[in-house]
């Protein structure tokens, strides 16, 4: 079953009014039309941040965003949720070599443009712009980066 936080969110969503549903439907239709015009103008993809903040502390509901304490879902979903609502295909992928907390971008393609989106993401990965770095490994309490997987006998 659902956990208590998920039950609360489902219950909250069920409290929406017909007017709120209509406003959301109008917003989605307008946003979808704007995105369609952008892609029809010759833009292949949009690249945007995946999240609006970094360093969410596990176990805390709020996170610091430019000195302000905000509920974590707001900055963590502020860029992806609108794209999800529009229904446009997108890929969220880490940027290589940022040197700090993992930074990622969202690559958004035109409706039904998944093949173009995947091809562009693959090209950027092949060029070393996007991809996954090996995370730190921990042995005997020490942290170090290793190019090889740990040897297990």
């Amino acid at each position: 079953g659902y956990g208590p936080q998920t039950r609360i969110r489902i219950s909250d969503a069920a409290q929406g009014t017909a007017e709120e549903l209509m406003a959301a439907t109008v917003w989605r239709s307008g946003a979808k039309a704007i995105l369609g015009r952008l892609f029809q103008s010759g833009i292949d993809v949009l690249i945007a941040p995946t999240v609006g903040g970094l360093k969410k502390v596990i176990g805390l509901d709020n996170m610091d965003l430019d000195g302000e304490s905000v509920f974590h879902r707001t900055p963590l979903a502020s860029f992806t949720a609108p794209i999800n609502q529009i229904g446009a295909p997108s890929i969220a992928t880490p940027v290589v070599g940022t040197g700090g907390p993992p930074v990622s971008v969202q690559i958004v393609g035109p409706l039904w443009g998944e093949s173009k989106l995947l091809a562009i993401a693959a090209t950027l990965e092949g060029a070393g712009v996007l991809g996954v770095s090996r995370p730190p490994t921990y042995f005997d309490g020490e942290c170090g980066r290793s190019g090889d997987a740990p040897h297990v006998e």
Side-chain angles (χ1 to χ4, degrees):
Y2 294 116
Q5 294 299 319
T6 303
R7 277 200 247 13
I8 290 168
R9 288 195 305 273
I10 290 171
S11 176
D12 288 349
Q15 303 305 313
T17 66
E19 291 81 16
E20 290 170 328
L21 176 61
M22 183 60 73
T25 302
V26 168
W27 175 88
R28 180 179 185 221
S29 177
K32 197 179 224 182
I34 290 168
L35 194 64
R37 286 193 300 272
L38 283 173
F39 289 123
Q40 288 174 354
S41 75
I43 294 172
D44 291 320
V45 295
L46 298 175
I47 299 179
T50 303
V51 296
L54 298 174
K55 297 186 181 181
K56 195 262 183 217
V57 177
I58 296 172
L60 297 180
D61 284 340
N62 287 358
M63 61 188 289
D64 180 75
L65 189 62
D66 295 329
E68 182 181 344
S69 180
V70 296
F71 185 60
H72 72 276
R73 284 199 190 96
T74 302
L76 296 183
S78 58
F79 293 104
T80 55
I83 298 303
N84 294 341
Q85 290 298 316
I86 293 169
S90 66
I91 298 173
T93 178
V95 176
V96 172
T98 58
V103 175
S104 60
V105 294
Q106 170 183 215
I107 306 171
V108 182
L111 297 176
W112 307 108
E114 288 84 354
S115 59
K116 179 185 282 190
L117 181 65
L118 290 169
I120 289 172
T123 299
L124 291 171
E125 182 180 35
V129 175
L130 304 176
V132 179
S133 301
R134 181 182 276 294
T137 55
Y138 296 89
F139 300 105
D140 300 325
E142 295 183 44
C143 174
R145 293 200 178 262
S146 170
D148 300 319
H151 178 71
V152 179
E153 292 188 37

